[in-house]
Amino acid sequence: MHLQKKIRLPGAIRRRPLAFFCLLAALFLFPASLAGADKEDAYGEWNGQRVTITGRVYKKETVSQRDGPASVIYLKIKERKPQQAIKADTGPPGERVICYLSPNQKEPEIGSTVRLSGKLRSFERASNPGQFDAYSYYQISGISYRLSQAEISAKTANYNRFMERLHTFRRFLSQELSAALPQKEASVMQTMLLGEKGGMEKELKGLYQRNGIAHILAISGLHISLLGTGFYRILRRCGTPVRAATISSFGVIFLYGTMTGFSVSSVRAVFMFSLQMLAVLLKRSYDMVTAAALAAAVILLKQPLYFRHSGFWFSFGCVLGIGLALPVLTEKNPGKGDSEIREFVKMFLSGVGMAAITLPLYLWFYYQFPPYSVLLNLLVIPLMSFLMAAGLALLACRILFPPLAVPFSLFIKGVLLFYERACEICDNLPGHLFTPGKPQIWQMAVYFLLLVFLLIAGKKIKLSARWGIVTLGVLLLTVRPARGLSLVFLDVGQGDCIYIENGNKSRYLVDGGSSSVSGVGEYRIIPFLKLRGASRLDAVFVTHPDEDHCNGIRELLTEGKRQGITICAMVLPDVSENARSESYLELVKEAGKSGVPVAYISRGQAIKKGELSLECLHPAAGGTLTEPNEYSMVLGLSCKGFEAMLTGDVENGGERELIRYLQDKEDFRDITVLKAAHHGSKNSTAPEFLKIVRPRLAVVSAGKDNKYGHPHKELLERLEGEGSLIYETAKEGAVTVEVWGRRVRGDGWGE
């Protein structure tokens, strides 16, 4: 007789089988997200061309631009079959398109079909580590490209009257908020209640983001729960039958989600609220974790690329953390000797527990974490329900009897002022941003495996041991294994920016500017530094004060401290007083305002830290050169036998002086890496210079399709003649050179 052993599934799976199978479905969809994100940009060749397209309007909004508010419509492109080609259309087909209308254009109604023309702009692909990839972001929504200066040439009379009226009602509510509140407070409430993000001040949004409370601006579970549950309770207290109350509440929430644009967080919240109402209607129990897992599976089934969306992970991560992880991290086990937990201690543990849950998400997507957000959210979140209720009451009073709106307006202004002042205090505290950089995949995997172990173990182990496991996970997640020497030549367009890191011992930046990319410091340099965990730069070298080498440094001086990056010193070439132009002196002044000491360096001087040495090879102290390109600083880098030369924009008389100096110098011959001077100009990096340094690898930092024609053909031929391997940031994106002992590897990050 053979006995079959009964297989017992773990308790967590037995309790929530549907959630478990939704998790398996999500894992099955994960490969599709990787394949879809690698799709090449099919619209780059159309960039800058004026095209004509036809499509149906499915959404519209007003956004703030430098010239004032602009009307934006979203088109779903009309399908073009070979036998039904639209001859008037000259643009690529695409899926959906964002159209920024010219100021004189009247907005079309939602649901109408329009034909319009505008200048096509493809979305930028990230060409540097840490840089925002606009193409991948919009690919999730199926948006193919955008049109600027769009003008409508034809429009149908038919449109979706229901959606148009809903949009009109949203705009009416937005105007009522503007009439009842000052502009700054109105923009926050418009974002919070109506999902209108275009009018909020950039500085205020950044303040909320840096301090970890930007989640209050998203239409999420708190909004849906307050509005839907509140409406349901009012109906029930008025004697409305359960069936009518649940259906009516679902209808109100669905209209609210439709009106506010159905972001991923609001889709999740509306879906979960619908399941909650269904459970009430069917007299069944409602499980938040199962509802969230089912919502995630449905969203991913429709669009697997949400696996790469930060909003998706934060939205579902917080819900699952509240439902699964917080009970394990806050509830005692008397059988294991745990003592009674006081209520305020439990509240604090909840805040720390949520921080432990969101920490890997913060580091993966934003590379840093605001530690004070743990305490700040304990103050902010409890007030959110009252703030939301006050906003809804203010709108109701503005519609029914405006004088009654005054106390609600005062309350809203008081709460938002409290939020702002609390964030400003945290912003000025030491260590307000913890910046360990982006963790590696194995670190993320180990961290989540530890969390899974905690969920399975539950309360079987002591509370102190559970927190010990979390602490171990945090340490493993945030410790960065020491690297060897690495040089990263960032793609800043037409400009220069070089990052130098020697393990975890020293970090330097050489130049940082661009004449072709606006906001290069904010959008390319600072995100990269965060990704590398470079919260402290030992020195920033500015080879000369031309804008394409220093305007990003200016941004770093003004924004670096607020973004969690400290500059220990700025180093400028030591030139004569008459060579110090207005731009040169302005850099010194701005460094002083930011509290950054300024040092001056000339030929023969060096900065050394450990095995790394950065020696100034040009200019000579007290030299007569007055042109910035001629006195441009040239640095010789040496570390354990590895040598590189960073030449700035040195040319003409400056390069001739450099050649004479190098001829009498024993080192910096047959170097490994050369940064070609002046973005690959034929007037720099002369044959005589190359005969001395004979680089194995040369990097040219220049903008794609720049107006100067850099790099010039003559320069490339000279480098090839010396047998140099050439990397161009315009083609490769950021170029990384890594050194391990005697091994050197060059790698392009972008295309």
Side-chain angles (χ1 to χ4, degrees):
M1 184 175 180
H2 297 281
L3 296 176
Q4 290 185 342
K5 187 176 180 180
K6 189 175 181 180
I7 298 175
R8 291 182 59 83
L9 296 173
I13 298 175
R14 294 200 309 273
R15 287 192 298 270
R16 296 185 174 100
L18 181 57
F20 175 71
F21 287 114
C22 287
L23 174 62
L24 290 181
L27 293 175
F28 179 76
L29 293 168
F30 181 70
S33 71
L34 300 178
D38 292 335
K39 181 181 175 183
E40 289 297 324
D41 181 2
Y43 309 102
E45 63 185 58
W46 296 79
N47 199 33
Q49 296 185 28
R50 194 161 186 88
V51 300
T52 302
I53 60 173
T54 301
R56 179 178 59 82
V57 181
Y58 68 92
K59 178 183 173 183
K60 56 183 181 178
E61 61 185 0
T62 301
V63 299
S64 296
Q65 292 188 316
R66 293 179 181 177
D67 302 330
S71 296
V72 180
I73 62 173
Y74 293 72
L75 291 188
K76 186 173 183 180
I77 299 297
K78 188 172 181 180
E79 185 179 1
R80 298 186 222 164
K81 297 179 181 179
Q83 65 271 26
Q84 296 177 347
I86 303 173
K87 295 182 180 179
D89 286 6
T90 59
E95 297 178 44
R96 292 179 171 86
V97 179
I98 303 177
C99 304
Y100 293 79
L101 298 180
S102 295
N104 59 341
Q105 296 293 295
K106 182 181 178 181
E107 284 185 351
E109 296 84 3
I110 295 178
S112 62
T113 299
V114 299
R115 178 176 295 144
L116 49 74
S117 59
K119 189 173 288 187
L120 188 148
R121 299 293 183 190
S122 62
F123 294 117
E124 187 177 28
R125 299 303 306 256
S127 57
N128 298 285
Q131 182 183 341
F132 174 64
D133 195 316
Y135 178 81
S136 297
Y137 176 81
Y138 285 105
Q139 188 184 6
I140 295 171
S141 303
I143 296 174
S144 304
Y145 52 87
R146 58 193 172 108
L147 295 185
S148 61
Q149 305 169 21
E151 297 183 352
I152 299 171
S153 58
K155 179 180 76 70
T156 61
N158 297 326
Y159 61 92
N160 189 323
R161 284 174 168 74
F162 171 75
M163 292 298 295
E164 182 62 25
R165 286 171 182 168
L166 200 61
H167 173 77
T168 303
F169 181 61
R170 180 192 189 190
R171 184 161 290 180
F172 165 74
L173 295 178
S174 179
Q175 291 169 351
E176 290 299 319
L177 288 172
S178 295
L181 296 166
Q183 192 275 330
K184 182 164 64 174
E185 287 78 3
S187 67
V188 175
M189 296 307 293
Q190 286 163 351
T191 304
M192 192 180 296
L193 292 174
L194 304 174
E196 290 191 352
K197 302 177 182 179
M200 190 171 176
E201 292 181 4
K202 181 180 177 182
E203 292 76 13
L204 184 59
K205 186 177 180 181
L207 182 68
Y208 281 14
Q209 288 173 336
R210 287 194 304 275
N211 290 281
I213 67 166
H215 58 87
I216 68 174
L217 302 174
I219 305 295
S220 61
L222 181 62
H223 303 66
I224 301 302
S225 177
L226 179 66
L227 184 60
T229 306
F231 186 72
Y232 173 78
R233 288 175 178 172
I234 290 172
L235 290 179
R236 291 293 292 142
R237 287 182 180 179
C238 293
T240 307
V242 172
R243 183 182 181 86
T246 54
I247 294 174
S248 299
S249 299
F250 166 74
V252 167
I253 289 302
F254 185 80
L255 288 176
Y256 180 65
T258 304
M259 183 180 71
T260 55
F262 269 135
S263 65
V264 64
S265 59
S266 64
V267 169
R268 188 265 306 161
V270 170
F271 189 94
M272 292 178 64
F273 179 79
S274 303
L275 292 179
Q276 186 179 5
M277 290 294 99
L278 184 62
V280 171
L281 193 61
L282 300 177
K283 297 181 180 180
R284 301 290 298 271
S285 61
Y286 169 75
D287 181 64
M288 181 177 68
V289 173
T290 300
L294 186 57
V298 170
I299 291 172
L300 291 172
L301 188 63
K302 184 177 180 181
Q303 176 53 283
L305 290 181
Y306 271 115
F307 265 119
R308 290 176 170 255
H309 194 280
S310 60
F312 174 86
W313 283 100
F314 274 99
S315 181
F316 285 96
C318 288
V319 172
L320 295 176
I322 292 170
L324 292 175
L326 282 192
V328 176
L329 296 175
T330 58
E331 295 180 6
K332 64 185 182 66
N333 184 351
K336 292 293 181 180
D338 289 336
S339 57
E340 187 67 33
I341 301 176
R342 296 182 180 181
E343 196 59 37
F344 74 93
V345 174
K346 190 172 182 179
M347 185 182 298
F348 176 74
L349 288 178
S350 296
V352 178
M354 283 306 300
I357 293 160
T358 57
L359 175 65
L361 303 180
Y362 268 105
L363 298 187
W364 185 261
F365 289 105
Y366 306 123
Y367 324 126
Q368 55 187 188
F369 179 78
Y372 301 122
S373 65
V374 175
L375 299 175
L376 192 57
N377 275 298
L378 293 179
L379 302 174
V380 167
I381 293 177
L383 284 173
M384 268 297 296
S385 297
F386 298 103
L387 185 61
M388 286 280 298
L392 295 173
L394 180 138
L395 288 172
C397 292
R398 288 286 304 178
I399 295 171
L400 300 174
F401 189 62
L404 287 177
V406 174
F408 297 109
S409 174
L410 293 174
F411 178 79
I412 290 170
K413 287 190 283 187
V415 172
L416 293 181
L417 180 63
F418 169 74
Y419 283 0
E420 187 174 350
R421 292 292 178 266
C423 286
E424 288 173 350
I425 290 172
C426 292
D427 235 14
N428 292 310
L429 291 174
H432 70 285
L433 284 171
F434 173 52
T435 312
K438 187 173 183 177
Q440 297 180 26
I441 293 177
W442 71 265
Q443 292 175 299
M444 295 286 286
V446 170
Y447 190 83
F448 282 115
L449 284 174
L450 288 174
L451 288 182
V452 170
F453 170 76
L454 278 177
L455 296 179
I456 294 174
K459 303 172 191 175
K460 296 176 183 177
I461 56 178
K462 290 186 65 173
L463 185 61
S464 58
R466 294 175 233 162
W467 277 102
I469 293 171
V470 171
T471 304
L472 174 63
V474 171
L475 291 174
L476 289 173
L477 187 68
T478 55
V479 170
R480 294 290 166 263
R483 300 184 178 97
L485 174 67
S486 62
L487 287 75
V488 184
F489 301 81
L490 293 180
D491 175 22
V492 290
Q494 187 66 14
D496 269 9
C497 184
I498 306 162
Y499 173 76
I500 303 167
E501 178 181 324
N502 184 26
N504 294 326
K505 302 173 186 176
S506 56
R507 296 180 175 94
Y508 302 95
L509 199 68
V510 179
D511 285 335
S514 176
S515 60
S516 62
V517 176
S518 59
V520 66
E522 179 181 1
Y523 298 115
R524 299 201 180 189
I525 300 174
I526 291 177
F528 169 80
L529 293 175
K530 289 180 182 179
L531 177 135
R532 293 295 290 246
S535 57
R536 181 180 181 274
L537 292 172
D538 294 280
V540 172
F541 296 85
V542 181
T543 59
H544 62 295
D546 283 358
E547 287 298 291
D548 60 341
H549 290 253
C550 71
N551 57 15
I553 301 298
R554 297 179 194 276
E555 295 176 54
L556 193 57
L557 287 171
T558 56
E559 281 295 314
K561 193 173 182 180
R562 281 195 292 186
Q563 298 291 344
I565 298 170
T566 300
I567 301 174
C568 296
M570 185 170 73
V571 183
L572 292 169
D574 190 6
V575 295
S576 61
E577 291 294 332
N578 63 331
R580 300 185 180 188
S581 63
E582 184 178 345
S583 180
Y584 184 106
L585 297 174
E586 190 65 29
L587 267 175
V588 176
K589 185 177 178 181
E590 290 180 15
K593 285 182 180 179
S594 302
V596 177
V598 179
Y600 302 91
I601 196 169
S602 58
R603 180 178 297 158
Q605 296 178 321
I607 293 178
K608 298 181 180 180
K609 194 167 185 181
E611 307 91 350
L612 178 66
S613 172
L614 286 166
E615 180 183 350
C616 180
L617 305 176
H618 182 76
T624 59
L625 300 171
T626 57
E627 288 296 321
N629 282 359
E630 293 192 346
Y631 69 66
S632 177
M633 184 193 306
V634 177
L635 292 172
L637 182 154
S638 58
C639 183
K640 295 181 178 179
F642 171 87
E643 290 184 329
M645 194 174 295
L646 313 176
T647 54
D649 275 0
V650 68
E651 62 180 2
N652 299 331
E655 188 174 55
R656 289 193 290 271
E657 280 191 12
L658 175 65
I659 292 171
R660 286 194 294 270
Y661 176 70
L662 291 175
Q663 285 174 339
D664 299 328
K665 193 173 174 62
E666 295 296 328
D667 46 4
F668 295 109
R669 296 172 180 271
D670 297 320
I671 64 175
T672 306
V673 178
L674 170 70
K675 200 287 295 186
H678 203 179
H679 320 292
S681 169
K682 63 183 179 182
N683 299 318
S684 297
T685 320
E688 300 86 351
F689 172 75
L690 287 176
K691 292 293 182 186
I692 297 172
V693 297
R694 297 176 59 84
R696 289 165 49 195
L697 187 154
V699 180
V700 181
S701 180
K704 188 175 183 179
D705 301 324
N706 64 83
K707 63 182 179 180
Y708 308 102
H710 294 155
H712 291 148
K713 181 181 178 182
E714 296 89 334
L715 181 276
L716 296 177
E717 289 176 348
R718 290 202 292 266
L719 290 171
E720 289 172 354
E722 292 297 331
S724 301
L725 179 63
I726 303 171
Y727 284 94
E728 300 179 40
T729 59
K731 294 180 179 179
E732 312 283 347
V735 176
T736 300
V737 178
E738 294 185 329
V739 183
W740 299 279
R742 296 181 178 274
R743 292 182 300 156
V744 178
R745 187 186 73 173
D747 198 9
W749 193 86
E751 297 179 1

